[in-house]
Amino acid sequence: MIKADDLAIFPVDQWIQDGVRWLALNLRPLFQAIKWPVESLLGFNDWVLHAIPFPVMLLLIGLIAWRSAGRGVAAFSVVSLVVIAMLGVWTEAMTTLSLITTAIVFCAVIGIPIGILCARSDRVWNVVRPILDIMQTTPTFVYLVPVVMLFGVGTVPGEVAVVTAAAPPLIRFTNLGIRMVEHEIVEAGLAFGADSRQLLWEIQLPLAIPSILGGLNQTVLTAMVMSVVVAMIGAEGLGLVVLQGLGRLDVGRAAIGGIAIVLLAMMLDRITQKLAETKRDQRTSLFQALMRFLRGSCREEITAPAPPEAGRQAA
């Protein structure tokens, strides 16, 4: 009987290794060009967050959370930051926060346009969809190997891995949000003379904002997970605290890093989730207003009096 071990083995691992090595040797200027904006924005965000004094940071985060998510989330955010500072990992938390904010910017710049393109073209979506499936089912540790070979080690290559892993949810939710816009609203926009650009910016995107913000929420959580994993390739932050604790068998050190990560993730999750809920309520109000306008227009057309000439001809 034929066994699995008797079959020929394809050297896929060697093919992948050779392909990544070829890319690293022949396309190095391209990867350096990709690395430069990530390094610049990450360095700027890291400098700003570390330069802000602790009381001012508490006030800023509290105001942002209060204006976007309410007093309860604002109080929780302030208490979480105080607890993180009392754990002695404030500097590492600010580094992780700079990683997350930079990842959000790049994921939005990359993911939202791709999601819009996928929503407007089924052919593009059929190509992008399997790529997103592969990216979201690939274990997070697998991202580290090509990133190290193409970009090296450190915080900046770690940021590249974070952006790569966190972008797919935003692409999916953007595509889904635009496709879920009511067909009657789209037809009404076309009937009133809107072109494709006006239809996108004035009708589809405003109604799809809740879904896009939901994707942004998933992007933030994925980025938090990856911020711990990329510590294995030298990225700084709370993930490095956890990794140091595990390497030294220091359970307390690892637990401190884990608690700080959980508090930071919960704070960002509550803020982005509340934003999505608020925009969803606004979307419902906008949809109802548009539907009332359309019904009123249709009713006026139906009940409009006949022109005088038509009446004379009928007589």
Side-chain angles (χ1 to χ4, degrees):
M1 181 177 291
I2 299 177
K3 299 181 180 179
D5 296 335
D6 297 332
L7 300 177
I9 298 177
F10 294 102
V12 179
D13 54 347
Q14 188 62 41
W15 296 344
I16 296 175
Q17 177 75 9
D18 294 339
V20 174
R21 185 182 293 111
W22 184 89
L23 291 175
L25 293 176
N26 295 275
L27 299 180
R28 184 171 181 81
L30 174 62
F31 296 114
Q32 292 297 322
I34 296 174
K35 184 178 178 181
W36 178 79
V38 176
E39 185 176 10
S40 301
L41 184 58
L42 179 60
F44 176 76
N45 288 339
D46 189 67
W47 175 79
V48 169
L49 291 176
H50 283 89
I52 298 176
F54 174 69
V56 178
M57 178 61 72
L58 289 181
L59 180 62
L60 288 176
I61 297 296
L63 287 175
I64 293 173
W66 174 55
R67 294 297 299 172
S68 59
R71 289 177 293 181
V73 177
F76 174 77
S77 301
V78 172
V79 172
S80 299
L81 293 176
V82 172
V83 171
I84 290 173
M86 294 177 66
L87 292 175
V89 289
W90 176 260
T91 302
E92 291 82 359
M94 291 300 100
T95 301
T96 299
L97 189 59
S98 67
L99 283 171
I100 302 305
T101 53
T102 304
I104 290 173
V105 172
F106 280 103
C107 287
V109 170
I110 297 172
I112 294 178
I114 295 177
I116 293 173
L117 187 61
C118 292
R120 296 171 71 87
S121 173
D122 291 334
R123 183 175 300 176
V124 175
W125 175 237
N126 291 332
V127 174
V128 174
R129 184 177 181 180
I131 298 175
L132 297 180
D133 293 338
I134 295 172
M135 293 176 66
Q136 290 189 280
T137 55
T138 300
T140 53
F141 293 98
V142 178
Y143 286 103
L144 303 182
V145 179
V147 166
V148 169
M149 295 192 66
L150 299 176
F151 297 96
V153 297
T155 305
V156 177
E159 180 67 30
V160 174
V162 171
V163 173
T164 304
L170 188 55
I171 297 174
R172 285 186 181 275
F173 276 75
T174 302
N175 170 70
L176 182 64
I178 294 177
R179 288 179 180 270
M180 287 181 63
V181 174
E182 297 293 336
H183 190 61
E184 295 86 352
I185 299 295
V186 177
E187 288 184 345
L190 294 174
F192 280 97
D195 55 20
S196 59
R197 183 184 61 83
Q198 292 173 334
L199 188 67
L200 174 65
W201 288 100
E202 299 180 14
I203 296 177
Q204 291 178 316
L205 276 181
L207 293 175
I209 284 178
S211 297
I212 295 174
L213 290 177
L216 188 65
N217 175 264
Q218 296 301 310
T219 294
V220 170
L221 297 180
T222 306
M224 285 298 302
V225 173
M226 281 299 297
S227 67
V228 180
V229 177
V230 295
M232 300 180 64
I233 60 174
E236 300 177 353
L238 294 172
L240 186 60
V241 176
V242 176
L243 187 63
Q244 289 174 348
L246 293 175
R248 301 170 185 173
L249 295 180
D250 188 347
V251 180
R253 180 71 174 172
I256 287 175
I259 293 172
I261 290 171
V262 169
L263 291 175
L264 198 61
M266 291 177 64
M267 180 183 73
L268 295 175
D269 173 67
R270 298 300 183 271
I271 293 174
T272 54
Q273 192 174 33
K274 194 66 177 180
L275 279 173
E277 292 176 358
T278 303
K279 292 296 182 181
R280 188 173 293 110
D281 296 337
Q282 295 177 358
R283 178 189 185 278
T284 303
S285 301
L286 177 61
F287 173 74
Q288 292 174 351
L290 288 171
M291 292 303 295
R292 285 196 299 268
F293 173 74
L294 293 177
R295 292 193 187 100
S297 300
C298 294
R299 193 177 297 112
E300 290 176 0
E301 292 179 359
I302 294 173
T303 60
E309 296 180 358
R312 286 195 297 269
Q313 292 177 0

